[in-house]
Amino acid sequence: MAMVIGWLSVEIHDYIWLNYYKQIKAILNMLYFLLAFLCVVIALIVYFQGSGEGSLIQAVQNWHQQVNQDLQKSSVAQLKVLGEPKGENWSLVLNSQNQPELLTANQVRNICQNRLGVGWRLPKTNELGLLTPYPILSSHTYIWALNKRDGMNLNLTSLSQTPAQSGQTFVNYDSTDVFPTLCIQKSP
Amino acid sequence: MSNKIPKNLQSLSNRELLALEDKILLKNELCSEDRAFFTQSHLVIYFLAILFFCLMQILLSPIFTILGLQNNPLAIFLYVGCLIGSVFVASSLWAQLGLYPRYWIRTALHYWPLTLTLAIYTSYLLRR
């Protein structure tokens, strides 16, 4: 039965191809010419489909952010503050995990900027566990951002060490990335 | 289609027609422009050429070690020569096969579903 079907299929293909070869070639040539216009049409359709989210470029960027945020939310680290900062004039200004929603790095920066009132610059470096408004380590104000998957138990009562020495890891981030942050201020 | 065959072809017998077809196909086997659509015999030549290329390379490379030219860049000429030579060897072997073996192989390639089915059946039978 398979052999009969195989033979029949070859014969049918031969019949069509031999008798209508010229017409098929003409149609394919027409399609090759139309392919250029079809690409433009398909691009327009995709653009107008994506424009519901603002524009195609924004949709692509949002997709990237959404994927990052979903990954980060599914692997959110638990910060357990074992001891509030005491002495040495430290105070805990913000613990993003106490917020109802997870905050992005941009939101954290804005909140801390509003509460602390300093101009912030977040350097994109592999500086371990440290975000400062100044390129040089400052003893005044720190934002601590952690993206360790197994969480972190922090004892903030002893903050004599700089965060770079305390062994926390922090990698390059985007402003829309979501990770638990602590905003700590040390008054001068 | 049968109305358009001219008289000098109509006078030929089946075997003579087969020989004529075979002659034309052998002439234009590797040329994609003049090749007939319904024969995939160029695949046979590609397969045989790869086979002969490997064989020639394996058999001729000891020449370099005998001459003391291990890891010599001149081996590239051997490689290129085997590439070109394998095509000639494969096409000459294909031509030497004979009319009927070529016809059978071409038919098997043209009706490839049948060939594939038969190959599957025979492999199944051999395993059993």
Side-chain angles (χ1 to χ4, degrees):
Chain A
M1 191 62 189
M3 287 168 70
V4 169
I5 290 164
W7 176 80
L8 265 177
S9 61
V10 172
E11 288 292 314
I12 290 162
H13 169 269
D14 290 355
Y15 181 82
I16 294 165
W17 190 247
L18 281 168
N19 291 332
Y20 304 108
Y21 156 68
K22 280 184 189 167
Q23 289 91 322
I24 290 166
K25 281 281 175 190
I27 290 161
L28 285 172
N29 282 333
M30 268 195 277
L31 280 175
Y32 297 144
F33 181 73
L34 286 172
L35 199 65
F37 298 100
L38 274 174
C39 287
V40 173
V41 167
I42 289 162
L44 283 171
I45 289 164
V46 169
Y47 176 81
F48 285 118
Q49 286 291 318
S51 64
E53 301 168 40
S55 75
L56 186 66
I57 295 160
Q58 281 298 320
V60 169
Q61 282 177 347
N62 291 343
W63 167 82
H64 206 258
Q65 287 167 13
Q66 283 298 317
V67 167
N68 274 348
Q69 285 183 349
D70 289 343
L71 282 170
Q72 283 151 358
K73 280 171 192 170
S74 65
S75 63
V76 67
Q78 292 301 315
L79 281 177
K80 284 184 190 167
V81 180
L82 299 174
E84 294 282 316
K86 283 173 193 169
E88 300 181 10
N89 305 321
W90 288 94
S91 63
L92 181 65
V93 175
L94 168 73
N95 187 353
S96 69
Q97 290 191 310
N98 296 337
Q99 303 287 325
E101 287 178 2
L102 290 173
L103 300 173
T104 61
N106 232 12
Q107 285 170 321
V108 166
R109 176 168 56 183
N110 291 334
I111 289 163
C112 291
Q113 193 170 345
N114 291 336
R115 292 190 191 175
L116 301 168
V118 293
W120 288 95
R121 275 179 293 154
L122 293 171
K124 286 211 170 207
T125 61
N126 283 334
E127 203 75 16
L128 299 181
L130 178 65
L131 303 173
T132 69
Y134 309 108
I136 301 161
L137 283 177
S138 159
S139 61
H140 291 295
T141 317
Y142 298 96
I143 291 180
W144 233 326
L146 296 161
N147 64 351
K148 281 182 87 127
R149 282 169 204 270
D150 42 27
M152 199 70 167
N153 294 330
L154 285 176
N155 194 341
L156 299 173
T157 50
S158 60
L159 283 172
S160 54
Q161 287 180 332
T162 57
Q165 295 165 5
S166 54
Q168 289 130 18
T169 57
F170 186 73
V171 295
N172 279 343
Y173 59 92
D174 291 327
S175 54
T176 53
D177 281 346
V178 168
F179 36 71
T181 49
L182 297 174
C183 197
I184 301 161
Q185 185 178 31
K186 178 181 176 183
S187 50
Chain B
M1 262 171 74
S2 60
N3 298 333
K4 292 186 186 170
I5 294 174
K7 289 210 172 136
N8 50 4
L9 275 179
Q10 273 181 330
S11 66
L12 297 173
S13 70
N14 279 348
R15 201 202 175 282
E16 283 165 348
L17 283 170
L18 204 67
L20 180 65
E21 182 194 34
D22 185 65
K23 187 175 143 201
I24 294 164
L25 287 170
L26 270 179
K27 204 173 130 208
N28 294 325
E29 208 117 53
L30 291 171
C31 172
S32 62
E33 285 283 324
D34 301 334
R35 185 172 69 212
F37 292 123
F38 284 82
T39 55
Q40 279 76 37
S41 44
H42 59 288
L43 295 174
V44 179
I45 294 183
Y46 292 166
F47 170 74
L48 286 174
I50 289 161
L51 203 69
F52 284 121
F53 169 73
C54 296
L55 275 171
M56 283 163 72
Q57 190 78 352
I58 286 161
L59 292 171
L60 294 175
S61 53
I63 289 170
F64 270 73
T65 48
I66 287 162
L67 294 172
L69 292 170
Q70 292 92 331
N71 301 327
N72 195 294
L74 292 174
I76 188 74
F77 292 109
L78 185 76
Y79 192 89
V80 173
C82 286
L83 275 177
I84 295 163
S86 62
V87 177
F88 282 106
V89 170
S91 65
S92 64
L93 181 77
W94 179 241
Q96 290 295 317
L97 266 181
L99 178 68
Y100 285 107
R102 280 198 294 268
Y103 171 69
W104 292 330
I105 290 167
R106 280 201 204 103
T107 314
L109 285 171
H110 182 58
Y111 293 98
W112 59 267
L114 289 175
T115 319
L116 191 64
T117 317
L118 282 168
I120 290 165
Y121 284 172
T122 47
S123 70
Y124 182 70
L125 285 169
L126 285 170
R127 268 179 216 177
R128 282 287 288 262

